[in-house]
Amino acid sequence: MSIETLTGPRSLAGLRGGRYARKSAYRGKTTNRGRSVREQLDAAQADADRDGVKIVETFVDDDRSASRHAAVREREEFERMIEWIEGGKLDIVYAWAATRLQRDLTVYARLRDACAEHGVLWCYGGKVYDLSNKDDRFRTGLDALLGEREVDEMRDNVLRSLRANAAAGLPHGQRAYGYRRIYDPRTRAFLRTEIEPAEAEIVKEICDRVAAGEAYRGIATDLNKQGVEPPAREWRKAHVSRLATWREDLPENSTIHPSWVQRIKDYAHLQEEARERLEKGESALDISRDFNARQEPLLLSRWHAATITDYASDPRYIGSRVHRGRVTAEEAWPAIVSKATHARCLTIISERKSKRYNSRPGKAVNWLSGSMVCDVCSVPVGSGRNKYGPYYRCVQPGVPGRFDGKGYHVSAKTEPIDRYVEQQLFTWLSSPQFIEAYTKGDDDLVRQIEEADAEVKLLRQRLSEFRDQAITGALSAESLVAVEAGLLPKIADAEQRARSLKAPSVVRDLVGATPEEVADAWAQLELSQQRLIAETLLDVRLKRVPRGPERPASEHVSVAPKRPLRTGPPTV
């Protein structure tokens, strides 16, 4: 075959050709993975055979969008094709359609200029274009413009549908773990969302345990040991990499259910395939896509701490439909978790993320480190061990010590401090004021939380208005200082009240008639729960004492309740 160029007819026979294929994101439709790409490559090969062109290289961007609206994600093979064009390794490029090459005028111009400069032809839709020809540039440019308009229209339609679904409380995307969707058997129209009982029990357990102050990592480990099926639905590159290096004697195998270990052994051929393909230079991502296309059973999937926090903070589990971070419909589907539990989960997760010290509750060894502070500098107190045993001490850096060494403001032995603070806490937890404050029903608790949150919002809005007046000159700097002095303590008090209302749900289980009953319940808690209760309910300060004989713990530490009770805080 030959085409007409500016210099006359040009034969295509013997030219070096490249095939390019691209498929956008699959959105979970694993059964169609790779099919469209294969069809594109077969059609390109047929065009090349017709033209007498020898295909010397193939470029495939699978699961890649060419739209300017796509998330930042490089089309690696497209970039490699540009390198081949600029390196003089290709004479013609074959593609299924213009939209396979690009859907963005900026990308079109880049590809067009590279091909025109190096004399490389295009072929798509069965027609060959010479980019040095003004008519071909016009035609390909028009196709590129139409392609960009097409994707803009599709995006507008998708966004319009998303907004409508959000307003109507309809679900979007993949189903949430814990739920199932019911469709009309004849029309396939969506009917409703129902609870998936087995999965919902796992979600409820996760949220209850997070609300009770348990460590995320510990919850994930328990689920793995129990053999609870993880929520992952398809192979990822991390699964392939782990499978290739997995051994039966790995220590981590003790943290998963024995049936999972046996399952990996049953699919030893997959492990061998993954190992061989990786050694040959194939990427773990490509192997994972191939496994998904073949619908191979997923191995080495796990529950992780990140999944635990995601589920515990997801408003879908209280029945809310969320769009762009904002709740658009309440009671859009049945709730799995109560609002009070959800509120406690959010508070615990937020508090742990904001902590600079000891923010990994599953790793801590002392229940007051990180929550008790130095009475001199107010820096959280850390813990350690020396020849005298475990101790608490201030971790403020740069404090001069004896003999020109590094020192600290305060320190004390761990055991007497722990015992004294526990006694004060048990006395408080058994007080009538505490029992009255923490044994409310969920509805009453949610109402109090909403009122406290609303008060915080109102006070902050009022302060913002005063600051705006100061910026415009309607309020003097002196007046603003006075206003802030009055409002900031109120805001802090309201925030603390809201935070303490969302205290760990396990606190209710500690309510007892006597300190001895509270102590018995306390002994059953995990360390991460005890630490969270200390952080939420207690203001503990380690004080400096004179050198000399060992002092009683009551002189070393001060303990006060953080929670402002409506009936008045008890004295501890």
Side-chain angles (χ1 to χ4, degrees):
M1 179 180 176
S2 63
I3 64 167
E4 192 68 28
T5 68
L6 292 176
T7 58
R10 177 182 177 184
S11 174
L12 301 180
L15 294 185
R16 300 165 299 170
R19 295 184 301 173
Y20 181 79
R22 180 187 61 80
K23 179 70 173 69
S24 297
Y26 293 89
R27 306 301 183 196
K29 300 176 182 177
T30 57
T31 56
N32 288 330
R33 279 189 180 275
R35 188 180 69 186
S36 176
V37 166
R38 288 193 298 270
E39 291 173 350
Q40 294 176 48
L41 294 177
D42 290 345
Q45 186 64 58
D47 288 339
D49 293 341
R50 175 203 65 195
D51 299 338
V53 171
K54 180 183 179 181
I55 297 296
V56 296
E57 189 60 81
T58 296
F59 309 91
V60 177
D61 278 317
D62 207 3
D63 196 11
R64 294 292 189 274
S65 172
S67 165
R68 62 192 175 90
H69 300 296
V72 178
R73 193 174 185 183
E74 289 291 337
R75 287 197 288 160
E76 296 90 349
E77 290 294 276
F78 180 85
E79 295 298 326
R80 192 167 69 89
M81 183 179 69
I82 291 288
E83 293 177 1
W84 275 59
I85 292 172
E86 294 175 342
K89 299 179 181 180
L90 296 177
D91 301 312
I92 184 170
V93 172
Y94 288 89
W96 173 280
T99 54
R100 296 303 92 193
L101 288 166
Q102 43 68 38
R103 289 181 181 268
D104 182 352
L105 287 179
T106 303
V107 177
Y108 160 77
R110 180 185 173 203
L111 181 59
R112 176 201 65 193
D113 293 345
C115 289
E117 180 180 350
H118 296 88
V120 177
L121 305 173
W122 282 6
C123 178
Y124 59 81
K127 182 173 176 56
V128 179
Y129 299 93
D130 178 4
L131 279 304
S132 63
N133 183 298
K134 67 180 186 303
D135 293 331
D136 284 359
R137 286 201 305 273
F138 175 78
R139 176 55 191 269
T140 57
L142 183 60
D143 287 343
L145 190 63
L146 291 172
E148 186 174 82
R149 183 175 184 272
E150 177 188 1
V151 77
D152 284 344
E153 285 187 341
M154 287 192 296
R155 180 175 182 269
D156 289 344
N157 290 336
V158 168
L159 293 178
R160 190 179 301 113
S161 176
L162 287 176
R163 289 192 294 268
N165 288 343
L170 298 177
H172 173 72
Q174 295 186 0
R175 73 170 183 89
Y177 183 86
Y179 290 103
R180 61 182 174 219
R181 295 175 185 172
I182 307 301
Y183 296 88
D184 187 289
R186 184 176 61 85
T187 65
R188 299 305 301 162
F190 172 77
L191 297 178
R192 63 188 177 278
T193 297
E194 293 182 349
I195 288 177
E196 186 70 49
E199 294 180 356
E201 282 300 312
I202 301 303
V203 172
K204 190 173 185 305
E205 177 185 345
I206 288 171
C207 294
D208 286 344
R209 293 177 68 175
V210 170
E214 291 192 40
Y216 315 137
R217 184 178 178 182
I219 299 172
T221 299
D222 286 349
L223 294 176
N224 289 329
K225 286 183 176 180
Q226 295 167 21
V228 177
E229 195 66 27
R233 294 185 172 97
E234 60 181 21
W235 285 87
R236 301 291 185 188
K237 61 181 182 181
H239 297 144
V240 173
S241 300
R242 289 208 305 268
L243 179 62
T245 58
W246 182 85
R247 303 190 316 273
E248 190 175 355
D249 61 344
L250 287 176
E252 66 184 42
N253 292 335
S254 63
T255 64
I256 61 177
H257 195 271
S259 65
W260 291 7
V261 176
Q262 185 59 47
R263 189 181 186 189
I264 299 171
K265 293 163 64 176
D266 291 343
Y267 287 90
H269 64 283
L270 275 185
Q271 182 185 30
E272 186 63 27
E273 178 183 347
R275 185 182 295 122
E276 290 179 355
R277 292 172 69 173
L278 287 173
E279 289 175 352
K280 291 178 180 178
E282 192 170 352
S283 72
L285 180 60
D286 287 339
I287 299 172
S288 69
R289 289 172 177 163
D290 183 36
F291 283 0
N292 286 323
R294 289 156 42 183
Q295 298 186 359
E296 298 288 358
L298 180 58
L299 308 175
L300 285 169
S301 179
R302 300 281 192 279
W303 287 93
H304 299 282
T307 309
I308 301 303
T309 56
D310 286 345
Y311 284 10
S313 59
D314 196 333
R316 286 183 294 187
Y317 294 125
I318 59 174
S320 297
R321 172 66 159 92
V322 177
H323 180 61
R324 294 183 178 272
R326 184 172 60 87
V327 174
T328 58
E330 301 278 1
E331 300 179 358
W333 41 72
I336 296 175
V337 180
S338 72
K339 289 184 177 180
T341 298
H342 181 67
R344 292 191 185 97
C345 288
L346 291 181
T347 301
I348 288 170
I349 292 170
S350 176
E351 288 291 320
R352 285 178 174 169
K353 283 183 177 179
S354 65
K355 282 177 61 64
R356 293 177 54 200
Y357 300 90
N358 295 301
S359 58
R360 300 178 65 186
K363 292 288 187 180
V365 295
N366 296 100
W367 80 287
L368 290 175
S369 58
S371 60
M372 180 167 57
V373 300
C374 170
D375 192 48
V376 177
C377 63
S378 295
V379 169
V381 167
S383 60
R385 178 182 290 271
N386 57 23
K387 63 181 180 180
Y388 302 109
Y391 63 88
Y392 290 119
R393 71 172 177 83
C394 169
V395 295
Q396 174 67 44
V399 178
R402 291 188 300 171
F403 312 115
D404 296 323
K406 180 181 178 181
Y408 38 85
H409 291 132
V410 294
S411 69
K413 291 182 179 179
T414 299
E415 193 275 332
I417 298 297
D418 286 350
R419 187 170 62 250
Y420 176 76
V421 175
E422 283 179 352
Q423 290 172 352
Q424 303 305 304
L425 176 63
F426 298 163
T427 300
W428 182 29
L429 295 182
S430 60
S431 68
Q433 296 97 325
F434 177 86
I435 295 173
E436 191 276 335
Y438 276 97
T439 54
K440 301 291 183 183
D442 273 357
D443 290 340
D444 187 32
L445 183 60
V446 169
R447 180 185 59 78
Q448 292 183 53
I449 291 172
E450 290 175 346
E451 289 176 355
D453 286 338
E455 183 178 357
V456 172
K457 184 177 181 181
L458 182 64
L459 290 170
R460 286 197 173 279
Q461 182 178 352
R462 188 181 305 169
L463 180 59
S464 178
E465 291 172 354
F466 280 118
R467 286 172 174 168
D468 289 341
Q469 292 179 31
I471 292 173
T472 60
L475 186 71
S476 67
E478 293 80 5
S479 298
L480 177 61
V481 170
V483 168
E484 288 182 332
L487 285 180
L488 287 177
K490 292 182 179 179
I491 292 173
D493 181 70
E495 287 177 334
Q496 178 57 51
R497 186 163 62 256
R499 194 159 47 241
S500 58
L501 281 168
K502 303 169 188 176
S505 58
V506 72
V507 168
R508 295 189 181 190
D509 299 331
L510 292 176
V511 172
T514 66
E516 290 73 25
E517 292 178 354
V518 175
D520 290 340
W522 178 261
Q524 306 304 314
L525 298 183
E526 294 186 2
L527 179 61
S528 60
Q529 295 174 294
Q530 295 175 347
R531 287 174 53 80
L532 189 59
I533 290 173
E535 295 168 5
T536 306
L537 303 181
L538 298 178
D539 181 8
V540 185
R541 306 185 71 85
L542 190 61
K543 299 188 295 184
R544 175 182 284 172
V545 296
R547 292 186 179 276
E550 188 168 331
R551 304 297 181 105
S554 58
E555 295 185 22
H556 267 289
V557 66
S558 65
V559 187
K562 280 185 178 179
R563 189 181 198 285
L565 300 175
R566 289 183 303 167
T567 54
T571 302
V572 295

